[in-house]
Amino acid sequence: KSVFQGQTFCTGRFIQHTHQMFYSFLASLVLCISQASSFSTLITFDVDGTLVSSSPGWEMGAHGRSFTHAVNSVLMKNDDAAGGTIPQLLEKHEFHGSTDGLILMRLARKMMGESFDKEDAASKLDLMMDTMYQFVSKCNDDEVRKGIAPLPGAIQTLETLASYDDVAFGLVTGNVEGIARRKMHALGIYDAGAL
């Protein structure tokens, strides 16, 4: 249960959505394991802070801009609505280390003020995340890479690990799945062969 400014922030639908995402992840993991050749070890990597570092300006990259785009498009019904960047609208502890879904909810609350309806926003969370993905998927690699880079040694480590036949690899992240994959592609991390 998350708490935001002394008020319960999660709704039943948001919690249900989180559980659905977790069970979807487990089902994908089981499918991956059952389809993989014989392996004895599974290694998973987070994206942000494990494989990828962020630098000032990350919020102007495709992923950073996709949040306000999604809130504007889905909840405010105005693609050109005033917004701002995540660091301008939220305190660092409100987005750093959070899932994209939670960031969307916090951002919507901040951007919409009194008109924010948490039940409505929670019911449209999947649509907002799909809108984020669609936004990022239309961006070129330079826009996706803006403000982010592979952490030193990440690609070389993945290249070394890719040579092991008995190890399977995966991403575990709070990013929208398609956005995480897009970031890995744009940064050349997929080229390492492990993921």
Side-chain angles (χ1 to χ4, degrees), residues 15 34 42 46 56 58 61 81 87 90 93 100-101 105 111 116-117 132 171 184 186 195:
I15 292 169
S34 68
L42 171 65
D46 187 13
W58 68 267
L90 299 176
H93 71 273
D100 283 0
M105 294 293 286
M111 289 173 67
F116 177 74
D117 178 337
M132 286 177 65
L171 294 176
M184 298 299 96
L195 299 172

Side-chain angles (χ1 to χ4, degrees), residues 13-31 99 126 129 171-175 177:
R13 286 183 189 192
F14 186 74
I15 292 169
Q16 179 183 14
H17 175 74
T18 302
H19 287 151
Q20 288 170 343
M21 286 176 30
F22 176 72
Y23 291 122
S24 174
F25 162 74
L26 284 180
S28 297
L29 184 59
V30 168
L31 181 62
T99 65
D126 284 336
M129 289 192 288
L171 294 176
V172 180
T173 181
N175 288 182
E177 180 183 354

Side-chain angles (χ1 to χ4, degrees), residues 10 13 33 59 65 106-107 111 132 149 181-183:
C10 286
R13 286 183 189 192
I33 291 169
E59 68 277 4
R65 293 190 342 259
R106 289 175 172 162
L107 193 59
M111 289 173 67
M132 286 177 65
R181 292 182 187 282
R182 183 73 181 88
K183 287 162 69 172

Side-chain angles (χ1 to χ4, degrees), residues 32-42 163-169:
C32 173
I33 291 169
S34 68
Q35 292 179 346
S37 59
S38 175
F39 67 89
S40 61
T41 305
L42 171 65
S163 68
Y164 292 90
D165 293 333
D166 62 340
V167 181
F169 305 92

